[in-house]
Amino acid sequence: EAVRRSLPRAEAPPGDDLVPNAIDLLESRFDNDKGGFGGAPKFPQAPTLELLLRVAADWHEEPLRDRAMRMLTKTLDEMAAGGIYDHLYGAFARYSVDAIWLVPHFEKMLYDNALLARVYAHAWSLTGNDDYKRVAEETLDYLVRDMRHPSGGLLSAEDADSEGEEGKFAIWEWDEFVAVTGDDAPIMAALYGVTEHGNFEGANVLERYTPLEAVAAQFALSEENLRAIRRRSDGALVAHRKQRVPPAVDDKVVAAWNGLAIRAFAEAGSALGRPDYIEVAEGIARFIGAEMTNQGRLLRAWREGRVSGTAFCDDYAAVAIGLFALYQATGREAWFEEAMRLTDAMIDLFATEDRVGFYATGTDSDDLIARPINLMDNPTPSDNSLAAEALAIRAALTGTAELEAHIAGVIEAASMLLEKHPTASGHLLALIATSPLRQVAVAGSDPEPLLTVIHERFRPGFVVASSQSSDSAVPLLANRIAIDGRATAYVCEGFVCKLPTTSPDELRMQLEAHLGSSR
């Protein structure tokens, strides 16, 4: 009976100050020296970074945007400099065993890297910091190179150990590092913090705490020359590392984590101008449709042709969000239609009887003592946060008002977490921070100049529908006509639109009109 009881809820519905209060709480727990929240071991907490990212991008009051941006960029900077990031291969380890992001637990998870690559890509669009773009691309390139199955799906994880020792594939003895980098060894050692005594059990985890410009000044080099030396030496280090025994890979393909990856590749492809990333996202989506669906029912996991049981709520929600993102990146309505099918099934299979949240298991799953309701956003967004976001995107694209009851139910179920534990509810808070979602409809041929404006900056408060056809099945595009045969944008809220425009500059003004004003 105790297991059947719901999580405690707040006595009253969350108020309008929910997000500002969450930022206050996060600031009180923020590590001002090294970023992140809490001490050792230190986790990236991607859902919390998502909250900071969305507030920094879209909150209507500049002071709160600035506070969120400070915590976001400090954390992203320190993580990208520390050993938790693989400076040669790309991608993040699961966590650092210390509080300074230096020594990682060397395991790499698909879900962490999908979530973090997306945050770095969007942070680049907000700040113009090219290091964020580099980290996003290196992380996504790692997933393509080392974690993609030939059939298109992404594998789950890379182990921490090789040859029975944690980190052996990634760490460097001093003599080995000097031998590989040769004449450049002093420069590269300064750049990567490599010393004779080491920083990890007598060996070295590579880190980048010393800024590149400081190393360049130390050796009287131009930054351009130092980058050239680094590229040359990195090539030698990577070639040497490839001769080592690599860690084992958990080669199952998990639907929810691949849904997160679809979104990351689709959105990064648009933000970074990388159509190859969008192609990767489509490959993952096709894989799920072909290999992880049985008579319309999504399956949880796949390994070399063998499948596990039926999918859970987070699988349905994450894949649906990924497909909605893929539709917005490509305009291909097949992805929209499949996302619609999955969200229909998600409601039928997982919604609670009173619409206050979603169960983790479906109505067709084996009987349990109680069907769990997952609400905590750590280390991944919870079933309920993902379900609420999938329905919020669907509602914005279709104008389906009755979905709001399900979204409100999730917020009610998580109300205690939302008010008192922002690091346990970051993704749902991020959704609340950008609600209600606004819409942009783009109709007509040659829409690229308008779409470029939409994607030039992270705009989490908007969904996008575009079509060069007059018979789109997406409700947001109904009766949206191209003016004088030119691509035309309609910026709307609740399907009530501003004057249509064919001008990229006017579109940008309409998209950013809410910044600095009250919502």
Side-chain angles (χ1 to χ4, degrees):
E1 192 60 29
V3 170
R4 288 191 179 96
R5 293 181 192 139
S6 299
L7 288 175
R9 301 172 190 168
E11 295 180 0
D16 293 339
D17 56 356
L18 189 63
V19 171
N21 286 347
I23 297 299
D24 289 343
L25 278 170
L26 290 175
E27 280 188 323
S28 71
R29 301 168 188 175
F30 185 66
D31 182 343
N32 287 291
D33 182 40
K34 282 293 179 179
F37 303 89
K42 186 173 269 186
F43 289 78
Q45 299 190 28
T48 303
L49 298 180
E50 179 73 17
L51 168 62
L52 297 177
L53 176 71
R54 294 200 200 185
V55 171
D58 199 63
W59 191 255
H60 57 275
E61 294 175 344
E62 187 173 4
L64 200 70
R65 291 202 303 270
D66 290 344
R67 292 164 60 197
M69 182 68 83
R70 181 186 71 86
M71 288 188 281
L72 175 69
T73 55
K74 179 63 174 177
T75 303
L76 297 186
D77 291 344
E78 296 294 340
M79 284 173 50
I84 191 174
Y85 183 70
D86 189 331
H87 295 280
L88 296 178
Y89 269 48
F92 290 88
R94 191 168 167 224
Y95 60 89
S96 65
V97 301
D98 49 48
I100 62 173
W101 308 112
L102 175 58
V103 177
H105 171 57
F106 290 86
E107 183 181 27
K108 293 178 178 177
M109 305 301 298
L110 169 59
Y111 58 74
D112 282 326
N113 285 292
L115 292 166
L116 292 173
R118 179 177 165 276
V119 169
Y120 274 90
H122 288 313
W124 169 76
S125 79
L126 293 178
T127 65
N129 185 335
D130 285 336
D131 280 340
Y132 297 163
K133 181 180 182 181
R134 173 184 56 80
V135 169
E137 291 183 327
E138 289 175 355
T139 300
L140 294 172
D141 291 346
Y142 160 82
L143 294 178
V144 173
R145 183 187 67 240
D146 293 347
M147 300 295 284
R148 183 166 60 163
H149 189 275
S151 297
L154 296 182
L155 310 180
S156 294
E158 180 182 276
D159 286 354
D161 300 354
S162 57
E163 300 183 84
E165 295 182 27
E166 179 166 356
K168 187 172 182 179
F169 185 66
I171 61 177
W172 294 87
E173 302 286 346
W174 170 256
D175 290 343
E176 181 186 28
F177 185 86
V178 169
V180 173
T181 55
D183 293 342
D184 296 328
I187 298 170
M188 293 301 296
L191 189 68
Y192 282 133
V194 176
T195 63
E196 290 189 59
H197 56 78
N199 56 28
F200 174 68
E201 299 178 358
N204 290 273
V205 175
L206 302 188
E207 46 89 346
R208 289 284 308 279
Y209 292 145
T210 305
L212 184 140
E213 54 269 24
V215 177
Q218 178 184 346
F219 292 92
L221 295 167
S222 70
E223 291 183 25
E224 183 179 354
N225 284 342
L226 179 54
R227 288 191 179 94
I229 291 170
R230 181 192 173 194
R231 286 193 295 270
R232 180 174 66 237
S233 295
D234 278 359
L237 291 166
V238 167
H240 186 84
R241 190 165 144 182
K242 284 181 177 178
Q243 298 174 24
R244 301 174 180 173
V245 177
V249 173
D250 181 347
D251 61 351
K252 68 177 176 292
V253 178
V254 176
W257 302 354
N258 274 258
L260 299 176
I262 292 172
R263 182 183 204 178
F265 277 101
E267 292 187 9
S270 296
L272 304 176
R274 292 286 301 267
D276 56 317
Y277 287 161
I278 297 175
E279 291 174 7
V280 172
E282 292 195 291
I284 300 169
R286 286 192 293 268
F287 176 88
I288 291 173
E291 301 290 343
M292 301 183 69
T293 306
N294 181 19
Q295 296 182 338
R297 183 66 161 92
L298 194 63
L299 304 173
R300 172 64 174 179
W302 177 97
R303 174 182 280 125
E304 296 300 344
R306 294 177 290 113
V307 294
S308 69
T310 53
F312 300 117
C313 182
D314 64 331
D315 298 303
Y316 271 82
V319 174
I321 291 171
L323 296 180
F324 278 132
L326 199 45
Y327 162 67
Q328 293 179 80
T330 65
R332 294 177 184 143
E333 294 191 10
W335 303 127
F336 169 81
E337 291 166 359
E338 179 63 7
M340 293 285 288
R341 187 189 73 79
L342 289 176
T343 46
D344 279 338
M346 182 183 75
I347 293 171
D348 291 342
L349 289 166
F350 303 104
T352 62
E353 296 79 6
D354 57 1
R355 295 189 183 184
V356 181
F358 289 82
Y359 294 116
T361 58
T363 55
D364 58 352
S365 299
D366 294 337
D367 288 340
L368 302 173
I369 294 173
R371 294 171 70 189
I373 298 176
N374 299 321
L375 294 165
M376 294 185 66
D377 292 333
N378 221 345
T380 60
S382 73
D383 314 31
N384 276 272
S385 295
L386 291 169
E389 184 168 25
L391 295 182
I393 296 169
R394 173 174 171 160
L397 289 169
T398 63
T400 310
E402 54 264 30
L403 297 176
E404 295 297 330
H406 288 289
I407 299 168
V410 169
I411 294 171
E412 179 183 345
S415 55
M416 187 70 76
L417 283 174
L418 290 168
E419 290 189 351
K420 297 188 176 181
H421 304 287
T423 56
S425 52
H427 198 87
L428 187 54
L429 282 163
L431 175 62
I432 292 169
T434 48
S435 295
L437 291 173
R438 302 171 182 84
Q439 304 101 2
V440 187
V442 181
S445 59
D446 191 24
E448 285 308 314
L450 298 176
L451 294 175
T452 297
V453 168
I454 295 168
H455 296 305
E456 71 186 6
R457 181 185 185 278
F458 183 44
R459 305 186 192 280
F462 290 91
V463 297
V464 182
S466 64
S467 178
Q468 300 186 45
S469 170
S470 59
D471 58 352
S472 171
V474 180
L476 180 57
L477 290 167
N479 302 316
R480 312 295 182 205
I481 61 172
I483 298 174
D484 298 329
R486 301 167 62 191
T488 303
Y490 297 77
V491 177
C492 316
E493 184 167 355
F495 275 56
V496 177
C497 302
K498 299 180 181 180
L499 290 175
T501 181
T502 61
S503 164
D505 290 338
E506 173 61 26
L507 173 59
R508 185 179 294 108
M509 290 176 61
Q510 291 189 14
L511 291 172
E512 297 180 3
H514 68 287
L515 297 177
S517 62
S518 60
R519 230 188 220 293

